[in-house]
Amino acid sequence: MHPPVNPPSLAEQAYLFVRDRLVMLDIPPGSPINEEELGTTLGMGRTPIREALKRLESERLVVAYPRRGTFATDVNISDLAHISEVRRTLEPMATAAAAERATAADRATLTGLRAQLDAGVPAGDNAELLRTDLALHRAIYRCVHNPFLEDTLIRYDNLATRIWCVFVPRLAGMAGHVDEHVPLLTAIIEGDAEKAAALTLEHVTGFEAAIRALI
C-alpha cells in the first residue's frame, strides 16, 4: 500500500495559487501583490501568504522592497539566454531519465495526455495552449523521480512560460509547439531515452529561436 498523501499546507496552497497566476501573467509584471486581497480570496490569514511570497521571491517571480511591499517581477527578455542555457542542459537529461524511470502508472498518465493532444487543443486559445504546455512539462518532470531536479525544471519552465505569455500574441504556430509533445511523450512511454533527449533539445531550442525571431 502507498502511504497516505497529506493535503497541502495553507502556505503550499497559497504558493501554488499565486505562482500560476504570476506565470500566466494574470498578475501582470511589476504589479503590487496585495496580501490582504489574496488572504480574502483564499480564505486564509497573512502568515501562509507571506510564507508563499518568500518562496516565490527565491524563484524570481516576486521581489520585495523594504517599506514598499512585494511586486511581481518584470519579464526581461535579456534573461532568455540564461534561462535557455539552463534548459538546454537539464531538460534533455531529464526526459532521458523519465524514459528510463517512468513507472507503469506514469506511462499510463502520459498516454492519457497524449490522447488529449491527439484530440486537439483549440488552436486560437493561446491561454489554454500555454496551460496545456505547462501541464505536459510538469507531468514529464514528475516521471524523473528526482524531487530536486523536478523543482529546478519547474522553476525554469515557469520563467520561460512568462516570456511565452509576453510574446504569444505575436507568435504564429503556438499549437504546433504544443503538438511537438506527441512524439516526445511517445519516446518516454516507449522508454527511448536517446530519442526523448534529442526531441527535447529540439523543442527547447525551437522555443528560444521563435522568441528571438520577434526581438
Side-chain angles (χ1 to χ4, degrees):
M1 288 180 61
H2 293 290
V5 177
N6 294 324
S9 67
L10 291 178
E12 178 75 8
Q13 291 175 44
Y15 163 77
L16 293 172
F17 176 79
V18 180
R19 180 195 69 181
D20 285 350
R21 291 191 70 203
L22 289 162
V23 169
M24 294 296 295
L25 306 190
D26 294 328
I27 299 175
S31 64
I33 307 295
N34 188 318
E35 292 180 16
E36 187 174 342
E37 184 180 301
L38 284 172
T40 300
T41 300
L42 295 170
M44 60 180 68
R46 285 198 170 184
T47 298
I49 300 291
R50 286 176 177 166
E51 287 179 27
L53 292 177
K54 283 185 182 300
R55 186 172 167 189
L56 291 163
E57 186 173 19
S58 74
E59 297 179 4
R60 299 176 184 264
L61 291 172
V62 303
V63 59
Y65 297 104
R67 297 179 297 279
R68 283 185 57 202
T70 303
F71 297 80
T73 53
D74 289 328
V75 177
N76 294 314
I77 194 60
S78 59
D79 292 336
L80 176 64
H82 301 306
I83 293 167
S84 296
E85 182 177 24
V86 174
R87 295 184 73 216
R88 284 195 307 270
T89 303
L90 294 184
E91 296 248 0
M93 177 182 71
T95 52
E100 293 169 347
R101 300 175 189 170
T103 64
D106 291 334
R107 295 179 205 276
T109 297
L110 297 185
T111 300
L113 289 170
R114 183 178 62 183
Q116 290 175 31
L117 281 181
D118 285 336
V121 179
D125 190 341
N126 286 330
E128 186 59 31
L129 286 165
L130 284 162
R131 280 190 287 268
T132 299
D133 190 73
L134 273 174
L136 289 164
H137 286 201
R138 291 171 184 175
I140 291 168
Y141 302 155
R142 281 192 292 274
C143 297
V144 179
H145 295 285
N146 178 333
F148 299 99
L149 182 54
E150 182 181 354
D151 285 349
T152 302
L153 292 164
I154 289 173
R155 173 174 171 170
Y156 285 95
D157 188 48
N158 288 340
L159 295 173
T161 300
R162 293 186 90 218
I163 295 174
W164 261 133
C165 287
V166 169
F167 285 92
V168 76
R170 295 162 53 197
L171 277 168
M174 183 64 197
H177 176 82
V178 175
D179 284 340
E180 287 177 8
H181 290 90
V182 172
L184 173 56
L185 290 171
T186 299
I188 296 170
I189 292 162
E190 294 178 352
D192 190 336
E194 186 176 340
K195 186 172 183 181
L199 288 169
T200 301
L201 182 58
E202 186 178 322
H203 183 71
V204 173
T205 304
F207 161 76
E208 184 179 11
I211 298 297
R212 289 200 178 282
L214 297 175
I215 298 173

